[in-house]
Amino acid sequence: MKELLHATFPDTDRERWLKQLEKDLKGIAVQDALEFEDPIEEIGFKSYFHWSEKLADTKQTAFNSTRSFKTNNDWIIYQETAIQDTKKANKAILDNLMMGCNGIGFPSSNDYSSILNEVQLEYIYSDFNIASPEEMNAILALLPEQRDVTFSFDPLTAGEPEKIVPSFRQCADMQNVRAFEIDNTVFASAGANITQQLAIVCSQVKTYFELLTEAGENPDQIADKLQIKTGIGSNYVFEIAKFRALRLLLDNILEAYGVTAGKQIRLKAQSLFLNKSLEDPYTNLLRMTTEGMSAAIGGVDILHLQPYDTWSETGPGFFSYRMANNISNILKEESFFDKVSDAAGGTFAIEAATDILSDAAWELFRKIESEGGFLKATDFIHSEIERVAKTRIELLKNKTNKLIGINIFPNPDATSLIWKVPANSPEPLILELHKEGGDA
């Protein structure tokens, strides 16, 4: 009675298993159907594994790497507004809170009393968009004792590293206040592939630790004061693996700087616009859903699914905000994605993708460091991203990469929305991509 069920079935060797697999594929060679060379990610990958090919568990560190230390897989449903009119901004914030958000990003303002009217910061997660230590100091005076706050401030990526140490020291001893949000989305939006995104964020994090430890700051406190914002792409399996690989790579850096085992840097995932269509808005819901699923399965702490029309002339409205927020609500309340931590763990294909991406990213990270690190390797980083961005454009232009509503199957009832990229955004690629696809 206690005999293991699987012991009653005969073992299937790999050769017999492959023959059965090819039979199921109706004669198509397994390699042709299930092995891929991704021209954007620049890596080879196979999506089938026999049990005898179990991956060696060689990359786990003392931190236990690929999964979050959360007791479940819950995440913060985040939304933000860039509206400068304080009353309109306040209304948009309150609307989003009523839609189920429990995390809000606030625009820079001289009148926070109006923006924060009826917003109870002690019950939500808050991001404040700032540009200087002085702004940080003014906001710190407004915070309740019970808070969960990050300053959306990345002086390193903005080319102002001299602001890092004074900003850190303003809130070093404050609980649940993170001084910096390292912005990796600018590179994803400019066309970087997953390996490049991972390598660059490693270099960003390493540089923050380097500058702050040289100033005599405690590595544990540094880890507590950092948050990472990274983009979500449309490559479903690789995006799941990306967030798992990111945990692994970050833990290697934390361990190298002597951070206490068990600490992790908080991760925020944000949808982007490289694959979004203004003319066919409903296809965006499908893309945003799979992107949200990738990030959730990957174990992010904060999920920001931007309304598809955020970068249009009109900006996001009530409907597009609600649709974006409802994706997270449904993933939690109907699909229960928040219940199981690292649900993809042990899946051979995703474990393999995690290994492939982490190895490739670490090699590129070392190359960036050999070029002088994040602050000195700017030309190298830009040239690497530009090469991949050109591939993205070419694949869209020749329709190898097909995007409904952008370069195939145009919507006959297309909307009249027009793209309007923010002036401070480094994303000329977006307009070029959509121009090549016909959606500009």
Side-chain angles (χ1 to χ4, degrees):
M1 292 292 290
K2 294 183 178 180
E3 185 179 7
L4 293 175
L5 182 62
H6 68 76
T8 64
F9 294 92
D11 286 339
T12 302
D13 61 46
R14 188 173 187 276
E15 185 177 351
R16 288 177 59 199
W17 178 74
L18 286 174
K19 286 182 179 179
Q20 181 62 45
L21 188 56
E22 192 161 312
K23 180 180 177 181
D24 292 341
L25 290 169
K26 302 186 186 304
I28 301 173
V30 174
Q31 293 84 350
D32 293 340
L34 300 176
E35 294 187 14
F36 311 95
E37 290 288 335
D38 193 305
I40 293 176
E41 301 305 333
E42 301 178 323
I43 56 178
F45 178 71
K46 69 174 188 175
S47 61
Y48 63 98
F49 290 86
H50 185 254
W51 67 266
S52 62
E53 300 175 86
K54 287 182 179 178
L55 303 170
D57 194 20
T58 57
K59 295 186 174 60
Q60 298 294 308
T61 69
F63 289 60
N64 197 25
S65 329
T66 56
R67 65 183 57 183
S68 168
F69 291 148
K70 296 180 291 187
T71 56
N72 54 29
N73 196 47
D74 201 8
W75 64 89
I76 293 168
I77 303 175
Y78 175 89
Q79 203 55 259
E80 64 186 19
T81 179
I83 300 171
Q84 293 304 306
D85 182 293
T86 55
K87 290 185 178 180
K88 290 181 179 179
N90 176 255
K91 184 180 186 307
I93 289 163
L94 294 175
D95 284 345
N96 277 289
L97 290 171
M98 292 300 294
M99 293 174 194
C101 288
N102 56 349
I104 294 292
F106 298 93
S108 180
S109 176
N110 294 320
D111 184 12
Y112 281 108
S113 61
S114 296
I115 289 180
L116 296 174
N117 184 38
E118 297 186 358
V119 178
Q120 296 178 297
L121 294 178
E122 60 267 37
Y123 298 113
I124 64 171
Y125 163 77
S126 307
D127 262 9
F128 287 91
N129 191 357
I130 64 169
S132 70
E134 292 74 27
E135 283 186 83
M136 179 185 291
N137 195 46
I139 294 168
L140 288 172
L142 301 174
L143 298 180
E145 186 174 341
Q146 179 88 13
R147 69 282 174 111
D148 184 5
V149 172
T150 298
F151 287 100
S152 187
F153 182 42
D154 185 8
L156 176 68
T157 308
E160 301 174 314
E162 69 279 0
K163 293 182 179 181
I164 291 175
V165 173
S167 300
F168 176 88
R169 289 175 175 168
Q170 283 191 191
C171 59
D173 297 322
M174 301 184 73
Q175 293 292 319
N176 299 320
V177 176
R178 283 156 294 280
F180 309 108
E181 181 174 72
I182 299 173
D183 189 0
N184 191 246
T185 63
V186 294
F187 304 104
S189 295
N193 63 25
I194 290 175
T195 298
Q196 291 168 342
Q197 293 170 46
L198 290 171
I200 292 168
V201 79
C202 284
S203 189
Q204 290 172 295
V205 170
K206 186 258 185 185
T207 305
Y208 269 97
F209 268 94
E210 187 175 58
L211 294 175
L212 287 165
T213 53
E214 286 177 357
E217 303 301 339
N218 180 279
D220 278 6
Q221 279 191 315
I222 297 170
D224 287 338
K225 298 303 172 186
L226 297 179
Q227 178 169 293
I228 293 169
K229 178 172 69 173
T230 187
I232 320 170
S234 57
N235 194 330
Y236 183 67
V237 169
F238 278 16
E239 287 294 328
I240 296 172
K242 177 177 81 175
F243 293 109
R244 302 178 81 251
L246 179 54
R247 294 275 188 202
L248 179 69
L249 295 167
L250 291 176
D251 286 346
N252 286 337
I253 296 172
L254 296 183
E255 197 169 22
Y257 275 94
V259 175
T260 302
K263 283 189 178 291
Q264 290 184 322
I265 297 174
R266 182 180 271 187
L267 303 183
K268 180 200 285 184
Q270 178 175 289
S271 63
L272 304 174
F273 299 101
L274 292 180
N275 63 343
K276 304 302 185 296
S277 170
L278 284 181
E279 294 188 350
D280 193 359
Y282 300 109
T283 61
N284 298 317
L285 293 177
L286 300 175
R287 293 179 181 126
M288 290 164 64
T289 299
T290 61
E291 290 167 2
M293 290 167 64
S294 295
I297 295 171
V300 301
D301 303 297
I302 304 167
L303 180 54
H304 180 200
L305 296 176
Q306 300 192 82
Y308 75 92
D309 53 355
T310 297
W311 282 9
S312 69
E313 284 192 335
T314 60
F318 184 90
F319 177 77
S320 58
Y321 269 130
R322 184 168 183 175
M323 291 299 99
N325 294 331
N326 274 352
I327 291 172
S328 269
N329 289 329
I330 290 171
L331 291 179
K332 286 188 182 189
E333 304 302 329
E334 295 187 15
S335 301
F336 308 115
F337 273 52
D338 59 332
K339 304 303 182 188
V340 180
S341 178
D342 195 25
T347 307
F348 283 8
I350 292 176
E351 294 286 4
T354 302
D355 283 355
I356 291 168
L357 290 173
S358 59
D359 285 344
W362 193 256
E363 182 179 345
L364 181 57
F365 163 60
R366 293 180 65 183
K367 176 65 174 174
I368 293 171
E369 293 305 299
S370 72
E371 295 284 333
F374 183 79
L375 289 171
K376 294 182 180 178
T378 306
D379 290 342
F380 172 72
I381 292 171
H382 286 179
S383 65
E384 286 290 293
I385 293 174
E386 184 178 11
R387 174 175 52 78
V388 176
K390 288 179 178 178
T391 301
R392 289 184 186 273
I393 292 168
E394 183 59 31
L395 292 176
L396 192 68
K397 185 177 180 180
N398 63 27
K399 298 188 179 181
T400 300
N401 184 6
K402 298 178 177 63
L403 294 177
I404 294 173
I406 296 177
N407 66 347
I408 60 169
F409 304 128
N411 185 357
D413 301 316
T415 67
S416 58
L417 294 176
I418 299 173
W419 287 99
K420 184 181 180 182
V421 178
N424 62 348
S425 170
E427 303 198 41
L429 179 63
I430 282 184
L431 291 179
E432 192 166 358
L433 275 171
H434 289 280
K435 181 179 178 181
E436 295 291 357
D439 179 38

